[in-house]
Amino acid sequence: MNQVEIENALAGLPLGEIRYFDTIGSTNDYAMYWTQYGPSNLSIVIADEQTAGRGRAGRRWLTPRGAALAVSVILQPDQVEVGALSLVNGLGALAVSDALACLGLSPAIKWPNDVLMEGGKVAGVLPESHWLGDRLLGVVLGIGVNVGRAALPPAGSVNFPAGCVEEALGQPVVRVTLLREILSALVFWVGQLGTPIFLETWENRLAFRGERVQVIPPIGEPVEGQIAGLTSAGNLRLAIGKEEKVFSAGEIHLRAVFEDRPVFSS
Ligand code: BTN
């Protein structure tokens, strides 16, 4: 990948400025810094390799050279109402899952934003907002995709099985083509943020929908129930007997329960 190849691949999409790096600490860190200087809406930061890639809950995210996609998209504050920030999780997951569907795959979304293929996590999303006092400078939507096997984290280093797009597809993937599909889907969905079609599509793609799952809050006991769907803010509705409990992203870990045996967590 290089700047010219990326600009050619993304030609015609209504994006802001594109900044490519052969290697960087974290594209999200760079994009967060950039929001101070008023980049145009949908400016993007892309790197071939990240040396300090970040995942959710302070975890590391591997982006070895040549094997992954690491991109951060900057959304201007006027594009995302403060109340809609949690929907940005869905925005990233919908964009990646649309792009994988274009390749002929059938991805699922482990709420809020992990994209799964054949039970393995192939992509993760890290939305972050940059505030100056009570002023929102911008929202950064970081997307990481395991394209080839070299992007897979070492076995035993993650608590959810990982997968990669090339293995799911059974053939090589041109990263800039996948990048274009992701960003063109993102351009569509950002205009639909929080609309009924946005929420319905996110909900319809949820992994473990209607199945028993365990949600693990940061404090207190795990709660078991069935995934009932999403609220209008993109929070998770869990049916527990005849009652319903709502969980917001960032607050919980989710794991599927099969035959009373929890097998996955993240
Ligand atoms: C997760 O834990 O599932 C979220 C992973 C998000 C990784 C992406 S890669 C591009 C961007 N830069 C980062 O440092 N993290 C995100």
Side-chain angles (χ1 to χ4, degrees):
M1 282 202 296
N2 59 50
Q3 177 87 27
V4 172
E5 194 190 348
I6 288 167
E7 278 173 6
N8 287 340
L10 302 182
L13 291 181
L15 300 170
E17 198 184 321
I18 298 165
R19 291 193 183 170
Y20 167 78
F21 297 85
D22 283 329
T23 185
I24 199 170
S26 153
T27 56
N28 260 38
D29 287 350
Y30 186 92
M32 290 287 272
Y33 153 84
W34 193 7
T35 57
Q36 300 170 78
Y37 301 98
S40 39
N41 190 43
L42 300 184
S43 286
I44 60 175
V45 184
I46 306 173
D48 191 16
E49 175 191 49
Q50 291 189 120
T51 54
R54 294 185 290 107
R56 288 175 62 211
R59 286 187 285 259
R60 284 193 65 201
W61 184 266
L62 284 185
T63 310
R65 191 178 290 278
L69 277 177
V71 55
S72 298
V73 183
I74 298 174
L75 307 172
Q76 284 290 340
D78 58 352
Q79 299 291 305
V80 190
E81 287 166 36
V82 171
L85 285 176
S86 60
L87 297 168
V88 177
N89 283 300
L91 175 61
L94 283 172
V96 175
S97 55
D98 266 12
L100 296 180
C102 281
L103 295 177
L105 298 170
S106 306
I109 300 171
K110 184 162 84 64
W111 184 85
N113 55 24
D114 289 343
V115 181
L116 310 183
M117 278 302 320
E118 294 158 6
K121 173 168 166 177
V122 299
V125 171
L126 182 65
E128 296 183 300
S129 353
H130 195 172
W131 294 87
L132 190 64
D134 59 1
R135 190 160 68 91
L136 180 61
L137 295 179
V139 174
V140 168
L141 172 55
I143 299 176
V145 186
N146 301 333
V147 179
R149 276 197 64 78
L152 295 179
S157 69
V158 283
N159 49 9
F160 191 90
C164 68
V165 180
E166 290 189 337
E167 225 163 51
L169 195 63
Q171 62 185 67
V173 169
V174 179
R175 284 182 298 157
V176 289
T177 310
L178 182 61
L179 177 70
R180 185 186 169 92
E181 295 295 354
I182 293 172
L183 294 176
S184 94
L186 192 141
V187 163
F188 170 76
W189 287 116
V190 78
Q192 304 288 326
L193 210 61
T195 60
I197 179 78
F198 180 98
L199 289 159
E200 267 169 45
T201 311
W202 186 7
E203 202 171 64
N204 286 336
R205 290 188 192 165
L206 285 182
F208 320 127
R209 188 153 179 222
E211 292 174 26
R212 278 174 63 216
V213 295
Q214 222 179 32
V215 298
I216 308 169
I219 321 169
E221 290 300 304
V223 185
E224 211 168 289
Q226 276 183 327
I227 293 186
L230 299 174
T231 67
S232 57
N235 293 329
L236 184 75
R237 292 167 36 228
L238 192 72
I240 307 166
K242 288 199 173 112
E243 311 222 316
E244 214 170 82
K245 211 169 154 80
V246 171
F247 294 88
S248 55
E251 181 178 287
I252 64 153
H253 296 293
L254 177 69
R255 60 188 185 180
V257 178
F258 299 125
E259 297 164 3
D260 292 333
R261 188 169 52 91
V263 285
F264 298 143
S265 71
S266 87

